[in-house]
Amino acid sequence: MIFSSIPFLYCFLPAVILLYFAVPGRGKNVVLLLASLVFYAWGELRYTLLMLVMITQGYVFGRLIDSKRRWSKVFLTTSVVISLGVLGYFKYAGFFLESFGAVTGLAVPVLKVTLPIGISFYTFQVISYVIDVYRKTVAAQRSYIDMAMYISMFPQLIAGPIVRYSDIEGELHVRKHSTEKTACGIRRFIIGLSKKVLIANQLGELIDAYAGASQPSVLFVWLYAIACTLQIYFDFSGYSDMAIGLGKIFGFDFPENFNYPYISKSITEFWRRWHISLSNWFRDYLYIPLGGNRRGFMVSKLNVIFVFLVSGLWHGAGWNYVVWGGMHGVAQLFNNRK
């Protein structure tokens, strides 16, 4: 089920909103949790249990880190290894096996695993949560329902933004609903829906036409390149707008994810405006822990390259994504050479 589909717009969403506002107090979190599980099971029934397992291990290790400080580093490491192990198996195992076979010439069996929807997003949310508990930035969540609702919340589950626990910690317990905030959420959702349906989908038609062309003209090639550039922005930012709008309807304030990235004057500015939640995640949970720019000139530059290589791999399991990430990392170095 996608946000722009008829079942979501005319059946699922109205039913959830009516039920949500009909239920008092803490029952609203239960409604959102159940609705999110139904939303996820609609498209990935067999992987709903996997998501619950990931949520459960994050919840358990978060409690252990908070209560058993002597062993907190062990619990943190275990949770992060589990999260990255699951993500690595489903998203990258086939890619690495195929690459290993190509390099060695060995007949390595191809591993065909269906990628669970949203696994990259909810895995990063679990990891950031246990790290923040370890750093004492936030207290461990004691309610499993609230924890499960935070991770699985359907507005931001599929395409982000990556919502950190600290962003909505207070709103998990107390949320303010108002006509003004609801109207703002509806308006933001409509803007995102318009981006997706009226612009991104139409650009997608042009891209499909190019793929079917046998001898495209030079003009068509340029149109295709421009269409790809705009389509990915309006599609992705449209989903982020819809997620932020839905969050406001349910009383949450999700972080902004795009800020007119194509008006950027440099590659550094671009990454401050594009997929902001992901850029901030890599900065706070990878770049800074590696030492950031505190360990000398050469190490800081290597850290930048490494973070962008990982970022490229996060976007997709393929060498083209790794190269793309590396190119952006090198561009960052040239942009910041002073």
Side-chain angles (χ1 to χ4, degrees):
M1 195 185 328
I2 59 176
F3 292 166
S4 58
S5 67
I6 298 300
F8 179 85
L9 292 173
Y10 291 96
C11 298
F12 179 82
L13 185 58
V16 172
I17 291 176
L18 288 174
L19 186 58
Y20 175 84
F21 284 103
V23 172
R26 300 284 294 170
K28 294 184 185 300
N29 284 2
V30 177
V31 170
L32 279 182
L33 172 59
L34 294 177
S36 298
L37 294 178
V38 170
F39 176 85
Y40 194 82
W42 187 284
E44 288 283 4
L45 178 60
R46 58 178 173 163
Y47 285 138
T48 304
L49 180 60
L50 173 67
M51 183 177 66
L52 288 173
V53 168
M54 294 287 283
I55 291 170
T56 302
Q57 69 89 4
Y59 171 78
V60 170
F61 282 111
R63 293 289 302 272
L64 289 173
I65 291 169
D66 198 39
S67 60
K68 308 288 186 181
R69 281 291 166 181
R70 183 178 179 183
W71 297 93
S72 60
K73 186 170 291 187
V74 174
F75 295 138
L76 170 66
T77 303
T78 304
S79 179
V80 172
V81 167
I82 291 173
S83 296
L84 292 180
V86 171
L87 178 62
Y89 172 76
F90 283 99
K91 190 169 183 177
Y92 303 109
F95 163 66
F96 285 124
L97 286 174
E98 184 179 343
S99 299
F100 178 78
V103 171
T104 62
L106 299 176
V108 180
V110 178
L111 184 64
K112 294 188 179 296
V113 180
T114 303
L115 183 65
I117 296 173
I119 189 172
S120 297
F121 290 94
Y122 69 69
T123 298
F124 270 29
Q125 289 188 189
V126 171
I127 291 174
S128 66
Y129 165 74
V130 294
I131 291 177
D132 284 350
V133 173
Y134 174 78
R135 292 174 174 174
K136 297 183 180 181
T137 305
V138 299
Q141 175 57 249
R142 296 186 174 277
S143 169
Y144 180 79
I145 290 176
D146 290 354
M147 175 68 180
M149 191 270 284
Y150 153 62
I151 298 293
S152 66
M153 204 180 335
F154 73 88
Q156 47 83 52
L157 177 62
I158 303 302
I162 300 174
V163 180
R164 301 188 200 178
Y165 182 77
S166 57
D167 292 332
I168 61 171
E169 181 182 11
E171 294 169 348
L172 289 173
H173 305 288
V174 179
R175 295 190 290 280
K176 293 183 178 180
H177 299 89
S178 66
T179 303
E180 182 180 358
K181 190 170 186 177
T182 301
C184 180
I186 293 172
R187 184 166 58 249
R188 189 66 179 269
F189 181 84
I190 292 173
I191 291 172
L193 183 63
S194 301
K195 283 183 178 180
K196 167 65 177 170
V197 175
L198 300 180
I199 303 178
N201 286 0
Q202 306 312 309
L203 291 170
E205 294 289 335
L206 191 153
I207 293 170
D208 291 340
Y210 177 86
S214 57
Q215 292 182 325
S217 64
V218 174
L219 177 60
F220 201 0
V221 172
W222 276 104
L223 286 174
Y224 168 73
I226 295 171
C228 286
T229 303
L230 295 176
Q231 194 271 341
I232 190 172
Y233 167 71
F234 283 108
D235 187 86
F236 202 174
S237 68
Y239 269 111
S240 292
D241 286 338
M242 287 188 277
I244 292 170
L246 289 173
K248 289 188 180 297
I249 292 172
F250 295 118
F252 293 95
D253 292 304
F254 295 158
E256 294 292 337
N257 212 23
F258 290 89
N259 183 23
Y260 303 102
Y262 289 150
I263 69 170
S264 302
K265 297 181 177 62
S266 68
I267 194 66
T268 300
E269 184 182 357
F270 175 82
W271 280 105
R272 290 175 182 153
R273 293 173 175 271
W274 178 278
H275 206 344
I276 300 169
S277 63
L278 179 67
S279 298
N280 290 344
W281 197 99
F282 276 118
R283 179 197 64 200
D284 295 340
Y285 299 106
L286 187 58
Y287 177 70
I288 292 177
L290 286 173
N293 58 2
R294 304 187 306 275
R295 299 177 61 184
F297 177 82
M298 186 56 66
V299 173
S300 68
K301 302 309 178 186
L302 291 175
N303 287 342
V304 170
I305 294 293
F306 179 73
V307 168
F308 272 93
L309 288 174
V310 175
S311 175
L313 199 57
W314 183 89
H315 283 85
W319 286 111
N320 55 324
Y321 290 101
V322 177
V323 172
W324 173 81
M327 290 172 60
H328 277 270
V330 171
Q332 287 278 355
L333 299 187
F334 279 99
N335 188 74
N336 297 323
R337 63 185 182 278
K338 295 181 181 180

